[in-house]
Amino acid sequence: MAETEEKVALAPQDASAASGAPSSVPPPPAEAPASMATWRQVTSALAQTHPETAAHILENMEEADAAALIREMDIDVAGPILERLHTHAMVDLLEYLGPDGTKKLLEAVSPQQSAVVLKQLDGASRQEILDTLSDEKRIQILPLVEYPPDTAGGMMETQVTSIPENATVQRAIEIMRRAPKKALYYLYVTDRDRRLLGVLNMRDLLLANPQTSVGEILHRDVVHVHVADDREPVAEIMRQHRFMALPVLDDDNRLLGVIRPGQVLHAAQQEAFEDLQIMVGAGGEESPHSPVFESVRKRLPWLFINLLTAFAAAAVVGQFEGVIAKVTALAVLLPIVAGQSGNSGAQALAVAIRGLALKEIISGTARRVLLKEMLTGLVNGVAIAVVAGIGVTIWDGRWQLGLVIALAMVASMGIAGIAGAAIPIALQRLGQDPAQSSSIFLTTVTDVVGFATFLGLAAMFAPLLT
């Protein structure tokens, strides 16, 4: 093991749907389409050199045709292709594959992918499919099905080689040589109950006397995560230490599996996309292939909240009906003020959410971040105000109206900047997801503040404007 790998492995730290598959599977087409032989040749040729392209071909075929093609493939050909199918495509194919095709699909893909697919099924259908798998595959999948995909348990790989605590150095080296390459990460040492005791340094192992017990050269401080830990702290630990693998333990400190960087990267991508969807009031787990009613159920409550906030902004405008009636140009310019303050707030919001996700904003720096975003909004507001004021003066002919919109721009963009940073920070302080529909709350603030500022200043300058 490389010296840098040993360093991170020994770092001392203690970290502690269901859509039921149909009971009867539609029979495969009585006769394959004329082009099926061509597709079979194309996918077989691409399987080893360009499996991503072959997977893309399968995803764009009709499900019945894709299922028929998978059933005809050899497992060696199907494996590289099926590994790269999107989860939604796998779930859609279950209806057409039948028992044999489903078995081939789950045997070909990783245990993590198999678990994700099985979690989409009801309990009876899931057990029926599990019973068709090999014992080895079933043992690998079962622990993963028990844990949500956004936890360490849902991300881990269950194939990991460990060395008994009473083994000699010679025996440990023999275990290493016989272990599958994909199951050998760091040299973890466990007791009879598979409780993690420590990790071996490769250099110490190779230089030790062959008859020395591994317990004598064991390093007992091992960074690890608990099986129920959320993926965000897991990703943070992996990012800080740059591990090749991170051991996953249960409540009794038993070694259940390891998490590799690939799983962490995938989890980080999922987290980012979920935050993006949650920020605008969509469901975090929603996908383009989610059922219509599921999407409606996730989105509709936040649309109602957005409607209420829109009424609040409209109520502000209603307070200035008299001014708008006298200076009709105000109604034309209202969207400009609200739009600019909204964009300014959205910029601050995005930066703040990033800072919270990467732990760049902590309790001691929050005030400085809020001040910085307010000043940024004010400076940008001044620049925009100059251009907007000149433009309105030229368009309307009244310099007083240009002055009103300029002052409104500065004030509203400054407030929008501090609001954009304050909303996610406040949500986190309240124990909520900082991205949870932040844009809806921000839109309310920027609209109300923008309208009130612009129309309030117009009311103050009304004698000059009329």
Side-chain angles (χ1 to χ4, degrees), residues 11 82 112 160 209 251 311 351 392 396 428 440:
L82 298 179
Q112 286 76 18
V160 55
N209 187 299
D251 292 332
F311 277 122
V351 173
V392 169
D396 183 75
Q428 188 184 62
I440 293 177

Side-chain angles (χ1 to χ4, degrees), residues 153-173:
M155 296 161 54
M156 69 181 178
E157 292 187 2
T158 53
Q159 283 185 295
V160 55
T161 299
S162 62
I163 298 171
E165 62 175 326
N166 58 356
T168 62
V169 168
Q170 182 177 353
R171 175 61 179 156
I173 294 174

Side-chain angles (χ1 to χ4, degrees), residues 54-377:
H56 185 69
I57 292 174
L58 277 180
E59 289 174 347
N60 285 277
M61 294 175 66
E62 293 292 333
E63 285 88 351
D65 294 340
L69 187 57
I70 291 172
R71 283 195 296 267
E72 295 180 15
M73 287 182 183
D74 293 332
I75 191 68
D76 294 338
V77 174
I81 300 174
L82 298 179
E83 279 277 2
R84 290 162 174 80
L85 286 178
H86 288 292
T87 303
H88 72 80
M90 294 185 189
V91 175
D92 292 342
L93 284 171
L94 293 184
E95 182 178 349
Y96 300 89
L97 283 171
D100 292 339
T102 300
K103 178 182 178 181
K104 177 183 286 187
L105 172 67
L106 296 183
E107 291 279 3
V109 302
S110 68
Q112 286 76 18
Q113 285 179 293
S114 300
V116 170
V117 172
L118 290 172
K119 286 175 184 177
Q120 310 300 316
L121 309 177
D122 59 42
S125 302
R126 183 187 307 160
Q127 189 58 50
E128 183 180 349
I129 292 175
L130 281 169
D131 290 341
T132 67
L133 302 178
S134 65
D135 292 341
E136 180 184 0
K137 191 72 172 183
R138 186 164 56 251
I139 290 172
Q140 295 172 8
I141 294 174
L142 278 175
L144 302 176
V145 177
E146 297 177 10
Y147 302 105
D150 59 350
T151 63
M155 296 161 54
M156 69 181 178
E157 292 187 2
T158 53
Q159 283 185 295
V160 55
T161 299
S162 62
I163 298 171
E165 62 175 326
N166 58 356
T168 62
V169 168
Q170 182 177 353
R171 175 61 179 156
I173 294 174
E174 291 175 359
I175 292 173
M176 286 173 49
R177 289 173 176 170
R178 295 176 183 176
K181 290 183 179 180
K182 62 181 179 180
L184 192 62
Y185 305 97
Y186 293 111
L187 305 181
Y188 299 116
V189 179
T190 58
D191 63 12
R192 291 181 181 275
D193 295 322
R194 203 169 169 75
R195 286 191 289 263
L196 182 63
L197 300 178
V199 65
L200 290 174
N201 183 303
M202 178 69 75
R203 181 173 51 198
D204 294 343
L205 185 69
L206 295 177
L207 295 178
N209 187 299
Q211 300 308 315
T212 300
S213 170
V214 295
E216 298 180 29
I217 58 173
L218 179 63
H219 295 267
R220 297 186 180 275
D221 292 324
V222 184
V223 179
H224 62 274
V225 294
H226 186 267
V227 68
D229 284 351
D230 188 78
R231 62 189 174 193
E232 286 192 49
V234 173
E236 180 64 19
I237 292 173
M238 187 72 82
R239 185 185 69 83
Q240 287 178 354
H241 299 285
R242 301 184 182 276
F243 290 133
M244 289 174 55
L246 189 61
V248 181
L249 310 183
D250 64 8
D251 292 332
D252 296 320
N253 289 327
R254 286 192 294 262
L255 180 63
L256 301 182
V258 294
I259 298 174
R260 295 191 299 137
Q263 276 79 39
V264 174
L265 177 60
H266 178 72
Q269 291 175 332
Q270 290 294 109
E271 187 75 27
F273 291 136
E274 287 182 13
D275 285 349
L276 179 63
Q277 293 178 189
I278 290 173
M279 191 166 61
V280 294
E285 298 177 358
E286 191 178 335
S287 76
H289 303 274
S290 297
V292 172
F293 290 108
E294 180 182 343
S295 296
V296 170
R297 182 174 61 84
K298 299 280 189 180
R299 301 181 192 181
L300 191 57
W302 290 107
L303 291 176
F304 278 125
I305 293 174
N306 198 28
L307 179 63
L308 292 176
T309 60
F311 277 122
V316 172
V317 176
Q319 298 299 312
F320 297 94
E321 285 187 65
V323 178
I324 296 174
K326 294 178 182 178
V327 186
T328 55
L330 295 175
V332 178
L333 299 175
L334 273 176
I336 298 177
V337 178
Q340 286 299 113
S341 62
N343 288 338
S344 180
Q347 291 171 341
L349 178 70
V351 173
I353 289 178
R354 174 193 183 275
L356 292 170
L358 298 179
K359 304 296 187 294
E360 295 173 343
I361 299 178
I362 56 179
S363 58
T365 62
R367 183 177 300 179
R368 187 165 64 249
V369 171
L370 294 177
L371 179 61
K372 173 253 182 182
E373 290 299 337
M374 183 184 70
L375 292 175
T376 302

Side-chain angles (χ1 to χ4, degrees), residues 15-64:
S16 49
S19 71
S23 55
S24 59
V25 178
E31 191 170 314
S35 60
M36 185 61 68
T38 303
W39 284 124
R40 185 164 57 251
Q41 294 173 357
V42 169
T43 53
S44 297
L46 293 173
Q48 299 302 323
T49 55
H50 300 285
E52 294 87 356
T53 304
H56 185 69
I57 292 174
L58 277 180
E59 289 174 347
N60 285 277
M61 294 175 66
E62 293 292 333
E63 285 88 351

